[in-house]
Amino acid sequence: MKNIRFKEILFLSYREKRARRINLDSDVIVIQGGNGTGKSCLLKSLYGVFGAQVNKYPEGWSPNHIITLLKFQIDGVPFKAMRIGKDFFLLTPDNKYFSETSDLGVQAESMSTLLGLDLFYYSDQETKKRLPLGCYFMPFYIDQDSGWQQPWTSFTQVGNEHVKRNVMLYYTGVINHDYYNSKSRLLSLKGEFNRWNNEKIVQNKFITIIKDKLQSKTISLSDDDFKDEIDAFVNNLQELKEKQNKILKELEELYFNKMFKESRISSLHASISEIEEDFKYALQKEEMLMCPVCGAHTNNTALARLGMNIDKEECRDLIVQYRIELQEIERKIENAKHKSEDLNKKIEEIQQLVATKKEEYTLKEYLNHKVVEKLHELFGENEQEFDDNLFRLGNEIKEEVAKLKSLKGTNRLKMLSDYFNERLVSFTKELGGNINTSKKHEFGEKIKGSGSSHPKETLAYFFTYLHIMQKFGTPIMLPVVIDEFKQNGTTDKSIGKMISFAINHRPENGQIVYSVSDDYPIEKEGVKVIRLDGNHLMIQEDYKSVYDEVDYILNKNFKMK
């Protein structure tokens, strides 16, 4: 089992000239502060820096505008993860990039290599894809947004419930790596089989509905028998299409010009009304006028008032001119509409062609016959494609089921299931929560509690999974991150019990990072307290030291100067 520990996290904003350096080198770290001090921003960034998609960041905090640098260790070997905007970097102990990408799929590939998790899932098209990053961190994080409602829900874009359940079974040791990937492929194969089968059912229903229409007559004619008529039919259709496009284009341009002229006439009428109002105003005022919009001053003389009247007359002249042009446009529109009569004649010619008979069949009947033939051909091809794919997928499903049977340890699953139920009941009672002891609780079940007991039940579920993961051989163990124990009106006494429980039951040699409000009392012994004050996580005092460290890393990998 690989053990991952956080050592330090750094934040840097070039825009605000602020930064923050936070030492995380302790088994138990408490982030303490009031609302708006940045507790959730810090905790969300611990896994967000790797590329995991958290539910949402607090308002006013955008990781795309901040550089985040996390120092961590894997079995004592130091590494760094850095996020700059939408770009993610993983650095070796000597500060060299071994991964640099803005593609979360590529980042997931790099993280899986670093953590030694060779896990995949299969998309709807049976494309083999690396697990989303949030899947790696689901068991270790409770956020404020949804994590206290149900375990393993603090990240988005982690696949469907099948993917999440398989990850849960893998992490808790119920299934091994080979079983996980085989199970994922089997689910994909079944999904693809169902899609092909549903498409076949839809086609068969369609054929049933129109079967009377698809009754094909035996017509002893060929395309050569109707060659002249078909050629004329095609030419007429082409000519009809060209004439339609030409008329539509002409009408489009005419209607646009008509709208423009009408808009200009309306604007000119408005201008005349404004000039008349200005003229009346000028007659009542002194020698100097002030513009109410821009504040400019102008002389109120007879010559200036004459200019107003001239402007009004010019507006009227333009209105007359636009109305004449508008009449011409409307005349052209009517002419364009009359041209459609030519289209009607062309349609009549096509109808006559369709009615042309050879032997006892018209061209229309012949064309209908050809369409039916083509539909039969297409349906036949589709039917064969459906059958081929269903046969192939059926065989692959059988092979994968046989493979799973050889890998599945039913005794182990039952043993872990029993142990899960026993631990969950014990943890819930220890926390003072409510739990139904008359039923057996299963892996992945939803929590149904409510009220002040619900957070206790959530915490019991969360640590039951962690306990089983460590006891039965999870491949990795990461720091436990919990955002704010105060939920649903829990009392200070309940909060104290929940915090003590979390600290005492954290994984062996593991870390826990949690947040509390600024007024909550903390026992200092064995606990590293990070105080956050003010209304911003970052401070000016840390700017230079963080800037220099980030600058050193960037210059080591890029020519920044």
Side-chain angles (χ1 to χ4, degrees), residues 499-552:
I499 291 175
S500 297
F501 173 89
I503 293 173
N504 294 335
H505 290 288
R506 74 184 189 276
E508 185 178 351
N509 299 320
Q511 280 183 300
I512 181 170
V513 186
Y514 66 92
S515 66
V516 293
S517 59
D518 56 355
D519 58 351
Y520 188 81
I522 300 173
E523 296 182 8
K524 305 290 185 182
E525 186 177 351
V527 175
K528 185 177 186 63
V529 181
I530 309 295
R531 282 276 326 168
L532 301 181
D533 298 305
N535 58 2
H536 205 298
L537 173 60
M538 293 182 286
I539 57 178
Q540 294 177 338
E541 292 82 352
D542 283 354
Y543 182 73
K544 187 177 187 312
S545 69
V546 174
Y547 175 94
D548 290 343
E549 184 164 351
V550 171
D551 188 60
Y552 171 78

Short mmCIF file of all heavy atoms in Angstrom, two decimals, residues 499-552:
data_model
loop_
_atom_site.label_atom_id
_atom_site.label_comp_id
_atom_site.label_asym_id
_atom_site.label_seq_id
_atom_site.Cartn_x
_atom_site.Cartn_y
_atom_site.Cartn_z
N ILE A 499 -15.13 15.01 16.11
CA ILE A 499 -13.72 15.32 15.84
C ILE A 499 -12.81 14.29 16.51
O ILE A 499 -11.87 13.77 15.88
CB ILE A 499 -13.38 16.75 16.31
CG1 ILE A 499 -14.09 17.78 15.44
CG2 ILE A 499 -11.87 16.97 16.29
CD1 ILE A 499 -13.93 19.21 15.90
N SER A 500 -13.08 13.99 17.76
CA SER A 500 -12.27 12.97 18.47
C SER A 500 -12.35 11.63 17.76
O SER A 500 -11.34 10.92 17.61
CB SER A 500 -12.76 12.84 19.91
OG SER A 500 -12.58 14.04 20.61
N PHE A 501 -13.55 11.27 17.33
CA PHE A 501 -13.74 10.01 16.59
C PHE A 501 -12.88 10.00 15.33
O PHE A 501 -12.19 9.01 15.04
CB PHE A 501 -15.21 9.86 16.24
CG PHE A 501 -15.51 8.70 15.33
CD1 PHE A 501 -15.78 7.44 15.85
CD2 PHE A 501 -15.51 8.85 13.95
CE1 PHE A 501 -16.05 6.36 15.02
CE2 PHE A 501 -15.78 7.79 13.11
CZ PHE A 501 -16.04 6.54 13.65
N ALA A 502 -12.93 11.09 14.56
CA ALA A 502 -12.19 11.15 13.29
C ALA A 502 -10.69 11.06 13.52
O ALA A 502 -9.98 10.36 12.79
CB ALA A 502 -12.55 12.44 12.56
N ILE A 503 -10.23 11.76 14.55
CA ILE A 503 -8.78 11.73 14.83
C ILE A 503 -8.36 10.33 15.30
O ILE A 503 -7.34 9.78 14.84
CB ILE A 503 -8.43 12.78 15.90
CG1 ILE A 503 -8.63 14.20 15.33
CG2 ILE A 503 -6.99 12.61 16.38
CD1 ILE A 503 -8.46 15.31 16.34
N ASN A 504 -9.13 9.73 16.19
CA ASN A 504 -8.77 8.42 16.76
C ASN A 504 -8.87 7.29 15.73
O ASN A 504 -8.13 6.30 15.83
CB ASN A 504 -9.67 8.10 17.95
CG ASN A 504 -9.44 9.04 19.11
OD1 ASN A 504 -8.35 9.61 19.25
ND2 ASN A 504 -10.45 9.25 19.95
N HIS A 505 -9.77 7.44 14.76
CA HIS A 505 -9.98 6.36 13.78
C HIS A 505 -9.36 6.66 12.42
O HIS A 505 -9.64 5.93 11.46
CB HIS A 505 -11.48 6.08 13.62
CG HIS A 505 -12.10 5.43 14.81
ND1 HIS A 505 -11.88 4.12 15.15
CD2 HIS A 505 -12.94 5.94 15.76
CE1 HIS A 505 -12.56 3.83 16.25
NE2 HIS A 505 -13.21 4.92 16.64
N ARG A 506 -8.54 7.69 12.35
CA ARG A 506 -7.88 7.95 11.07
C ARG A 506 -6.95 6.79 10.75
O ARG A 506 -6.49 6.07 11.65
CB ARG A 506 -7.11 9.27 11.13
CG ARG A 506 -5.83 9.22 11.93
CD ARG A 506 -5.17 10.61 12.02
NE ARG A 506 -3.86 10.54 12.60
CZ ARG A 506 -3.60 10.54 13.90
NH1 ARG A 506 -4.60 10.57 14.77
NH2 ARG A 506 -2.34 10.48 14.34
N PRO A 507 -6.67 6.57 9.46
CA PRO A 507 -5.80 5.45 9.08
C PRO A 507 -4.44 5.51 9.77
O PRO A 507 -3.92 6.60 10.04
CB PRO A 507 -5.66 5.63 7.56
CG PRO A 507 -6.90 6.35 7.15
CD PRO A 507 -7.21 7.27 8.29
N GLU A 508 -3.90 4.36 10.06
CA GLU A 508 -2.59 4.28 10.72
C GLU A 508 -1.53 4.97 9.86
O GLU A 508 -1.46 4.76 8.65
CB GLU A 508 -2.23 2.81 10.94
CG GLU A 508 -0.96 2.61 11.74
CD GLU A 508 -0.67 1.14 11.97
OE1 GLU A 508 -1.55 0.30 11.66
OE2 GLU A 508 0.44 0.82 12.43
N ASN A 509 -0.71 5.80 10.51
CA ASN A 509 0.34 6.58 9.84
C ASN A 509 -0.24 7.55 8.80
O ASN A 509 0.46 7.99 7.89
CB ASN A 509 1.35 5.66 9.15
CG ASN A 509 2.06 4.75 10.13
OD1 ASN A 509 2.40 5.17 11.24
ND2 ASN A 509 2.26 3.49 9.75
N GLY A 510 -1.53 7.85 8.95
CA GLY A 510 -2.17 8.75 7.99
C GLY A 510 -2.38 10.13 8.56
O GLY A 510 -2.20 10.39 9.75
N GLN A 511 -2.76 11.03 7.68
CA GLN A 511 -3.04 12.41 8.06
C GLN A 511 -4.54 12.67 8.06
O GLN A 511 -5.29 12.00 7.35
CB GLN A 511 -2.41 13.38 7.05
CG GLN A 511 -0.93 13.64 7.22
CD GLN A 511 -0.47 14.66 6.20
OE1 GLN A 511 -0.59 14.45 5.00
NE2 GLN A 511 0.07 15.77 6.68
N ILE A 512 -4.93 13.68 8.82
CA ILE A 512 -6.29 14.19 8.73
C ILE A 512 -6.23 15.71 8.75
O ILE A 512 -5.51 16.30 9.58
CB ILE A 512 -7.19 13.64 9.87
CG1 ILE A 512 -8.62 14.18 9.70
CG2 ILE A 512 -6.64 13.97 11.24
CD1 ILE A 512 -9.64 13.52 10.62
N VAL A 513 -6.92 16.34 7.82
CA VAL A 513 -6.98 17.80 7.74
C VAL A 513 -8.46 18.16 7.82
O VAL A 513 -9.25 17.71 7.00
CB VAL A 513 -6.39 18.33 6.42
CG1 VAL A 513 -6.35 19.85 6.42
CG2 VAL A 513 -5.00 17.75 6.16
N TYR A 514 -8.82 18.98 8.81
CA TYR A 514 -10.22 19.35 8.93
C TYR A 514 -10.34 20.81 9.32
O TYR A 514 -9.38 21.44 9.78
CB TYR A 514 -10.94 18.45 9.95
CG TYR A 514 -10.49 18.59 11.40
CD1 TYR A 514 -11.13 19.49 12.25
CD2 TYR A 514 -9.46 17.81 11.90
CE1 TYR A 514 -10.74 19.62 13.58
CE2 TYR A 514 -9.07 17.92 13.23
CZ TYR A 514 -9.70 18.82 14.06
OH TYR A 514 -9.31 18.94 15.38
N SER A 515 -11.53 21.36 9.13
CA SER A 515 -11.76 22.77 9.43
C SER A 515 -12.82 22.92 10.52
O SER A 515 -13.73 22.09 10.64
CB SER A 515 -12.20 23.52 8.18
OG SER A 515 -13.47 23.08 7.75
N VAL A 516 -12.67 23.99 11.31
CA VAL A 516 -13.67 24.34 12.32
C VAL A 516 -13.83 25.85 12.33
O VAL A 516 -13.00 26.59 11.80
CB VAL A 516 -13.25 23.87 13.74
CG1 VAL A 516 -13.23 22.36 13.82
CG2 VAL A 516 -11.90 24.47 14.13
N SER A 517 -14.91 26.32 12.92
CA SER A 517 -15.16 27.75 13.01
C SER A 517 -14.18 28.39 13.99
O SER A 517 -13.56 27.71 14.81
CB SER A 517 -16.60 28.01 13.42
OG SER A 517 -16.86 27.42 14.68
N ASP A 518 -14.08 29.72 13.92
CA ASP A 518 -13.07 30.41 14.73
C ASP A 518 -13.38 30.41 16.22
O ASP A 518 -12.49 30.66 17.04
CB ASP A 518 -12.89 31.85 14.23
CG ASP A 518 -14.21 32.62 14.23
OD1 ASP A 518 -15.25 32.00 14.52
OD2 ASP A 518 -14.19 33.82 13.93
N ASP A 519 -14.62 30.13 16.61
CA ASP A 519 -14.97 30.16 18.03
C ASP A 519 -14.97 28.77 18.67
O ASP A 519 -15.35 28.62 19.84
CB ASP A 519 -16.34 30.81 18.22
CG ASP A 519 -17.45 30.08 17.46
OD1 ASP A 519 -17.11 29.18 16.66
OD2 ASP A 519 -18.63 30.42 17.63
N TYR A 520 -14.54 27.75 17.92
CA TYR A 520 -14.57 26.39 18.48
C TYR A 520 -13.27 26.12 19.24
O TYR A 520 -12.17 26.31 18.70
CB TYR A 520 -14.77 25.35 17.40
CG TYR A 520 -15.00 23.97 17.97
CD1 TYR A 520 -16.25 23.59 18.43
CD2 TYR A 520 -13.94 23.07 18.10
CE1 TYR A 520 -16.46 22.36 18.99
CE2 TYR A 520 -14.14 21.82 18.67
CZ TYR A 520 -15.40 21.47 19.11
OH TYR A 520 -15.61 20.24 19.68
N PRO A 521 -13.34 25.66 20.50
CA PRO A 521 -12.12 25.39 21.28
C PRO A 521 -11.37 24.17 20.74
O PRO A 521 -11.98 23.17 20.39
CB PRO A 521 -12.66 25.13 22.69
CG PRO A 521 -14.07 24.66 22.48
CD PRO A 521 -14.57 25.38 21.27
N ILE A 522 -10.04 24.28 20.71
CA ILE A 522 -9.21 23.20 20.16
C ILE A 522 -8.19 22.78 21.20
O ILE A 522 -7.51 23.62 21.81
CB ILE A 522 -8.47 23.66 18.89
CG1 ILE A 522 -9.47 24.08 17.82
CG2 ILE A 522 -7.56 22.55 18.36
CD1 ILE A 522 -8.81 24.71 16.60
N GLU A 523 -8.09 21.47 21.38
CA GLU A 523 -7.03 20.96 22.25
C GLU A 523 -5.73 20.96 21.45
O GLU A 523 -5.63 20.31 20.41
CB GLU A 523 -7.37 19.55 22.72
CG GLU A 523 -8.61 19.47 23.59
CD GLU A 523 -8.89 18.06 24.06
OE1 GLU A 523 -8.03 17.18 23.83
OE2 GLU A 523 -9.95 17.84 24.67
N LYS A 524 -4.74 21.69 21.92
CA LYS A 524 -3.53 21.94 21.15
C LYS A 524 -2.60 20.72 21.06
O LYS A 524 -1.84 20.58 20.11
CB LYS A 524 -2.73 23.10 21.78
CG LYS A 524 -3.53 24.38 21.96
CD LYS A 524 -3.82 25.04 20.63
CE LYS A 524 -4.51 26.38 20.84
NZ LYS A 524 -4.85 27.05 19.59
N GLU A 525 -2.66 19.82 22.02
CA GLU A 525 -1.69 18.73 22.09
C GLU A 525 -1.82 17.81 20.88
O GLU A 525 -2.88 17.24 20.62
CB GLU A 525 -1.89 17.93 23.38
CG GLU A 525 -0.81 16.87 23.58
CD GLU A 525 -0.98 16.14 24.90
OE1 GLU A 525 -1.82 16.57 25.73
OE2 GLU A 525 -0.27 15.14 25.10
N GLY A 526 -0.71 17.67 20.15
CA GLY A 526 -0.67 16.78 18.99
C GLY A 526 -1.43 17.29 17.79
O GLY A 526 -1.65 16.54 16.84
N VAL A 527 -1.84 18.56 17.82
CA VAL A 527 -2.62 19.12 16.73
C VAL A 527 -1.93 20.37 16.19
O VAL A 527 -1.53 21.23 16.97
CB VAL A 527 -4.05 19.50 17.22
CG1 VAL A 527 -4.83 20.19 16.11
CG2 VAL A 527 -4.79 18.25 17.68
N LYS A 528 -1.80 20.46 14.89
CA LYS A 528 -1.24 21.65 14.26
C LYS A 528 -2.40 22.55 13.84
O LYS A 528 -3.25 22.15 13.03
CB LYS A 528 -0.40 21.28 13.04
CG LYS A 528 0.31 22.47 12.41
CD LYS A 528 1.19 22.02 11.26
CE LYS A 528 2.02 23.18 10.73
NZ LYS A 528 2.97 23.71 11.73
N VAL A 529 -2.46 23.75 14.37
CA VAL A 529 -3.57 24.67 14.10
C VAL A 529 -3.12 25.73 13.11
O VAL A 529 -2.10 26.40 13.32
CB VAL A 529 -4.06 25.34 15.40
CG1 VAL A 529 -5.24 26.27 15.09
CG2 VAL A 529 -4.47 24.29 16.42
N ILE A 530 -3.88 25.87 12.04
CA ILE A 530 -3.65 26.92 11.05
C ILE A 530 -4.77 27.94 11.20
O ILE A 530 -5.92 27.66 10.92
CB ILE A 530 -3.65 26.37 9.61
CG1 ILE A 530 -2.70 25.17 9.47
CG2 ILE A 530 -3.32 27.47 8.61
CD1 ILE A 530 -1.26 25.48 9.69
N ARG A 531 -4.42 29.13 11.68
CA ARG A 531 -5.42 30.18 11.88
C ARG A 531 -5.57 31.00 10.60
O ARG A 531 -4.59 31.45 10.00
CB ARG A 531 -4.98 31.12 13.00
CG ARG A 531 -5.19 30.59 14.38
CD ARG A 531 -6.56 30.78 14.93
NE ARG A 531 -7.25 32.00 14.54
CZ ARG A 531 -8.52 32.19 14.75
NH1 ARG A 531 -9.25 31.23 15.30
NH2 ARG A 531 -9.11 33.31 14.41
N LEU A 532 -6.82 31.20 10.18
CA LEU A 532 -7.12 32.06 9.04
C LEU A 532 -7.93 33.25 9.55
O LEU A 532 -8.96 33.07 10.20
CB LEU A 532 -7.90 31.30 7.97
CG LEU A 532 -7.24 30.06 7.38
CD1 LEU A 532 -8.15 29.44 6.31
CD2 LEU A 532 -5.88 30.39 6.79
N ASP A 533 -7.45 34.45 9.24
CA ASP A 533 -8.14 35.66 9.67
C ASP A 533 -8.44 36.54 8.47
O ASP A 533 -7.90 36.34 7.38
CB ASP A 533 -7.27 36.43 10.67
CG ASP A 533 -7.02 35.62 11.93
OD1 ASP A 533 -7.99 35.18 12.56
OD2 ASP A 533 -5.83 35.42 12.27
N GLY A 534 -9.26 37.55 8.69
CA GLY A 534 -9.58 38.48 7.61
C GLY A 534 -10.58 37.87 6.64
O GLY A 534 -11.24 36.88 6.92
N ASN A 535 -10.65 38.47 5.46
CA ASN A 535 -11.61 38.00 4.45
C ASN A 535 -10.93 37.47 3.20
O ASN A 535 -11.49 37.48 2.12
CB ASN A 535 -12.57 39.14 4.07
CG ASN A 535 -11.84 40.36 3.55
OD1 ASN A 535 -10.60 40.34 3.43
ND2 ASN A 535 -12.57 41.41 3.24
N HIS A 536 -9.68 37.02 3.35
CA HIS A 536 -8.93 36.52 2.19
C HIS A 536 -7.94 35.47 2.66
O HIS A 536 -7.26 35.66 3.67
CB HIS A 536 -8.20 37.67 1.50
CG HIS A 536 -7.93 37.39 0.04
ND1 HIS A 536 -7.15 36.34 -0.38
CD2 HIS A 536 -8.34 38.03 -1.08
CE1 HIS A 536 -7.08 36.35 -1.71
NE2 HIS A 536 -7.80 37.37 -2.15
N LEU A 537 -7.89 34.34 1.95
CA LEU A 537 -6.94 33.29 2.31
C LEU A 537 -5.50 33.74 2.15
O LEU A 537 -4.63 33.44 2.98
CB LEU A 537 -7.21 32.05 1.44
CG LEU A 537 -6.21 30.88 1.56
CD1 LEU A 537 -6.17 30.36 2.99
CD2 LEU A 537 -6.59 29.76 0.60
N MET A 538 -5.23 34.49 1.08
CA MET A 538 -3.85 34.91 0.80
C MET A 538 -3.54 36.24 1.48
O MET A 538 -4.42 37.08 1.68
CB MET A 538 -3.63 35.01 -0.71
CG MET A 538 -3.68 33.66 -1.40
SD MET A 538 -3.38 33.75 -3.17
CE MET A 538 -4.93 34.45 -3.73
N ILE A 539 -2.25 36.44 1.81
CA ILE A 539 -1.80 37.65 2.49
C ILE A 539 -0.60 38.24 1.75
O ILE A 539 0.11 37.54 1.02
CB ILE A 539 -1.43 37.36 3.96
CG1 ILE A 539 -0.36 36.27 4.04
CG2 ILE A 539 -2.67 36.98 4.75
CD1 ILE A 539 0.10 35.96 5.45
N GLN A 540 -0.36 39.52 1.95
CA GLN A 540 0.76 40.20 1.27
C GLN A 540 2.10 39.77 1.84
O GLN A 540 3.11 39.75 1.12
CB GLN A 540 0.59 41.71 1.39
CG GLN A 540 -0.63 42.25 0.64
CD GLN A 540 -0.81 43.74 0.82
OE1 GLN A 540 -0.32 44.32 1.79
NE2 GLN A 540 -1.53 44.36 -0.10
N GLU A 541 2.12 39.41 3.15
CA GLU A 541 3.40 39.09 3.80
C GLU A 541 4.09 37.88 3.18
O GLU A 541 5.32 37.78 3.20
CB GLU A 541 3.18 38.84 5.30
CG GLU A 541 2.78 40.07 6.09
CD GLU A 541 1.32 40.40 6.00
OE1 GLU A 541 0.60 39.75 5.18
OE2 GLU A 541 0.87 41.29 6.71
N ASP A 542 3.31 36.93 2.64
CA ASP A 542 3.91 35.70 2.07
C ASP A 542 4.26 35.85 0.59
O ASP A 542 4.80 34.91 -0.01
CB ASP A 542 2.94 34.53 2.23
CG ASP A 542 2.92 33.99 3.65
OD1 ASP A 542 3.74 34.45 4.46
OD2 ASP A 542 2.08 33.12 3.94
N TYR A 543 3.92 36.99 -0.01
CA TYR A 543 4.02 37.12 -1.47
C TYR A 543 5.44 36.87 -1.98
O TYR A 543 5.64 36.09 -2.91
CB TYR A 543 3.54 38.50 -1.92
CG TYR A 543 3.56 38.67 -3.43
CD1 TYR A 543 2.62 38.03 -4.23
CD2 TYR A 543 4.53 39.46 -4.04
CE1 TYR A 543 2.63 38.17 -5.61
CE2 TYR A 543 4.55 39.62 -5.42
CZ TYR A 543 3.60 38.98 -6.19
OH TYR A 543 3.63 39.11 -7.56
N LYS A 544 6.44 37.52 -1.40
CA LYS A 544 7.79 37.43 -1.96
C LYS A 544 8.36 36.02 -1.88
O LYS A 544 8.91 35.50 -2.86
CB LYS A 544 8.73 38.40 -1.24
CG LYS A 544 10.13 38.46 -1.91
CD LYS A 544 11.03 39.47 -1.26
CE LYS A 544 12.33 39.61 -2.05
NZ LYS A 544 12.96 38.33 -2.40
N SER A 545 8.23 35.38 -0.72
CA SER A 545 8.83 34.04 -0.58
C SER A 545 8.15 33.03 -1.50
O SER A 545 8.82 32.19 -2.12
CB SER A 545 8.75 33.57 0.88
OG SER A 545 7.40 33.30 1.24
N VAL A 546 6.80 33.09 -1.61
CA VAL A 546 6.09 32.17 -2.49
C VAL A 546 6.40 32.49 -3.95
O VAL A 546 6.63 31.59 -4.77
CB VAL A 546 4.56 32.24 -2.23
CG1 VAL A 546 3.81 31.38 -3.25
CG2 VAL A 546 4.25 31.77 -0.82
N TYR A 547 6.42 33.79 -4.28
CA TYR A 547 6.76 34.21 -5.65
C TYR A 547 8.12 33.66 -6.05
O TYR A 547 8.28 33.11 -7.15
CB TYR A 547 6.76 35.73 -5.72
CG TYR A 547 7.20 36.28 -7.06
CD1 TYR A 547 6.27 36.60 -8.05
CD2 TYR A 547 8.55 36.47 -7.34
CE1 TYR A 547 6.67 37.09 -9.28
CE2 TYR A 547 8.97 36.96 -8.57
CZ TYR A 547 8.03 37.27 -9.53
OH TYR A 547 8.43 37.76 -10.75
N ASP A 548 9.12 33.79 -5.18
CA ASP A 548 10.48 33.33 -5.50
C ASP A 548 10.53 31.83 -5.72
O ASP A 548 11.21 31.34 -6.64
CB ASP A 548 11.45 33.72 -4.38
CG ASP A 548 11.70 35.23 -4.33
OD1 ASP A 548 11.39 35.91 -5.34
OD2 ASP A 548 12.18 35.71 -3.30
N GLU A 549 9.78 31.07 -4.90
CA GLU A 549 9.81 29.61 -5.04
C GLU A 549 9.14 29.15 -6.33
O GLU A 549 9.66 28.28 -7.04
CB GLU A 549 9.15 28.95 -3.83
CG GLU A 549 9.22 27.43 -3.87
CD GLU A 549 8.92 26.79 -2.53
OE1 GLU A 549 8.83 27.51 -1.53
OE2 GLU A 549 8.78 25.55 -2.49
N VAL A 550 7.99 29.74 -6.63
CA VAL A 550 7.30 29.40 -7.88
C VAL A 550 8.13 29.83 -9.08
O VAL A 550 8.24 29.11 -10.07
CB VAL A 550 5.89 30.05 -7.92
CG1 VAL A 550 5.26 29.89 -9.30
CG2 VAL A 550 5.00 29.44 -6.85
N ASP A 551 8.73 31.01 -8.97
CA ASP A 551 9.56 31.53 -10.06
C ASP A 551 10.75 30.60 -10.32
O ASP A 551 11.13 30.35 -11.47
CB ASP A 551 10.05 32.93 -9.70
CG ASP A 551 10.76 33.61 -10.86
OD1 ASP A 551 10.12 33.79 -11.92
OD2 ASP A 551 11.94 33.97 -10.72
N TYR A 552 11.33 30.05 -9.26
CA TYR A 552 12.46 29.13 -9.41
C TYR A 552 12.04 27.88 -10.17
O TYR A 552 12.74 27.41 -11.08
CB TYR A 552 12.99 28.75 -8.02
CG TYR A 552 14.01 27.64 -8.06
CD1 TYR A 552 15.34 27.89 -8.43
CD2 TYR A 552 13.66 26.33 -7.74
CE1 TYR A 552 16.27 26.86 -8.47
CE2 TYR A 552 14.57 25.30 -7.78
CZ TYR A 552 15.89 25.57 -8.15
OH TYR A 552 16.80 24.55 -8.21
#
